[in-house]
């Protein structure tokens, strides 16, 4: 099995990849969060083949039951410049979790992540977006999935003032 994995002596298909993961003993974790499980096990040849073939991995190799990726895996996937946006939107969209903090997101994907509600609904994330993006907040993020009901945190007085100033004085406030 080591030779097969190390030298990629298999066709990159869902059936083959699942069989390898099953033999390596972490199929249960893999079936619920494929990339998370691969990162945790840190089997470099498997990670390398996935990261070199993101599109195929997301569309036809990762199990359809893979809906529990952790926040760091989702962030890594979203930050990858090699994954087509439509595919990552589809994959992350079916996840039960969201990116907890938008800070590690690259500038190029920040707006995409908020417009598609891929980031956890929190005032901290709204504040971060407003400061970093310096543009109107995507209202789909604020109101999608009853944002107000999900947020249980409070902003600091300074963060609240910053956010209010950005929203009130923004020329870019838009509905998306």
């Amino acid at each position: 099995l080591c030779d097969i994995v190390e030298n990629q002596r298999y066709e990159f298909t869902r059936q083959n990849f699942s069989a390898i993961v099953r033999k390596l003993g972490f199929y249960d974790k893999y079936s619920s969060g494929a990339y998370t499980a691969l990162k945790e096990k840190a089997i470099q040849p498997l990670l390398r083949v996935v990261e070199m073939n993101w599109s195929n991995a997301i569309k036809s190799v990762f199990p359809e039951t893979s809906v529990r990726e952790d926040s760091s895996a989702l962030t890594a996937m979203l930050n990858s410049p090699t994954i087509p946006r439509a595919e990552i939107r589809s994959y992350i969209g079916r996840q039960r979790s969201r990116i907890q903090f938008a800070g590690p997101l690259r500038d190029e994907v920040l707006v995409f992540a908020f417009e598609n509600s891929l980031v956890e609904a929190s005032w901290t994330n709204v504040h971060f977006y407003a400061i970093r993006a310096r543009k109107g907040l995507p209202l789909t993020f604020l109101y999608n999935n009853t944002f107000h009901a999900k947020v249980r945190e409070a902003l600091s007085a300074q963060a609240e003032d910053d956010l209010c100033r950005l929203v009130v004085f923004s020329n870019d406030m838009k509905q998306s």
Side-chain angles (χ1 to χ4, degrees):
L1 183 62
C2 288
D3 178 58
I4 292 169
V5 170
E6 191 68 39
N7 296 305
Q8 198 184 342
R9 299 179 192 269
Y10 59 93
E11 188 177 341
F12 190 50
T13 65
R14 180 175 289 149
Q15 185 177 11
N16 289 343
F17 211 75
S18 293
I20 290 168
V21 169
R22 202 174 261 113
K23 284 284 189 191
L24 293 173
F26 65 101
Y27 183 78
D28 288 345
K29 178 77 174 166
Y30 172 79
S31 68
S32 65
Y35 190 56
T36 299
L38 291 170
K39 284 182 58 151
E40 284 176 4
K41 283 294 184 181
I43 301 170
Q44 292 308 310
L46 295 180
L47 277 170
R48 198 169 33 254
V49 73
V50 164
E51 291 170 351
M52 288 174 38
N53 299 287
W54 273 120
S55 188
N56 189 27
I58 289 172
K59 285 193 299 190
S60 54
V61 175
F62 285 173
E64 296 198 12
T65 57
S66 181
V67 295
R68 295 189 185 278
E69 298 286 6
D70 71 17
S71 185
S72 67
L74 295 174
T75 300
M77 293 171 80
L78 194 56
N79 277 335
S80 172
T82 60
I83 305 176
R85 293 291 162 240
E87 290 168 17
I88 194 64
R89 181 186 307 124
S90 172
Y91 186 73
I92 293 181
R94 73 175 193 236
Q95 297 297 312
R96 294 200 175 134
S97 60
R98 291 286 176 258
I99 294 168
Q100 293 173 350
F101 176 59
L105 293 175
R106 293 181 305 119
D107 287 343
E108 301 82 53
V109 298
L110 186 65
V111 173
F112 173 83
F114 277 83
E115 286 178 344
N116 290 282
S117 298
L118 304 177
V119 178
E120 186 176 285
S122 73
W123 284 117
T124 301
N125 280 330
V126 169
H127 179 253
F128 177 82
Y129 177 89
I131 297 295
R132 185 145 144 218
R134 288 251 175 238
K135 61 192 296 182
L137 301 167
L139 295 180
T140 52
F141 175 74
L142 293 175
Y143 294 104
N144 203 12
N145 301 317
T146 60
F147 173 83
H148 64 282
K150 289 184 175 183
V151 176
R152 289 172 178 58
E153 66 174 317
L155 285 173
S156 69
Q158 181 62 48
E160 191 174 315
D161 287 347
D162 292 345
L163 185 57
C164 286
R165 265 193 291 285
L166 280 166
V167 170
V168 170
F169 297 112
S170 174
N171 292 328
D172 296 325
M173 190 59 119
K174 66 176 185 173
Q175 184 171 356
S176 54

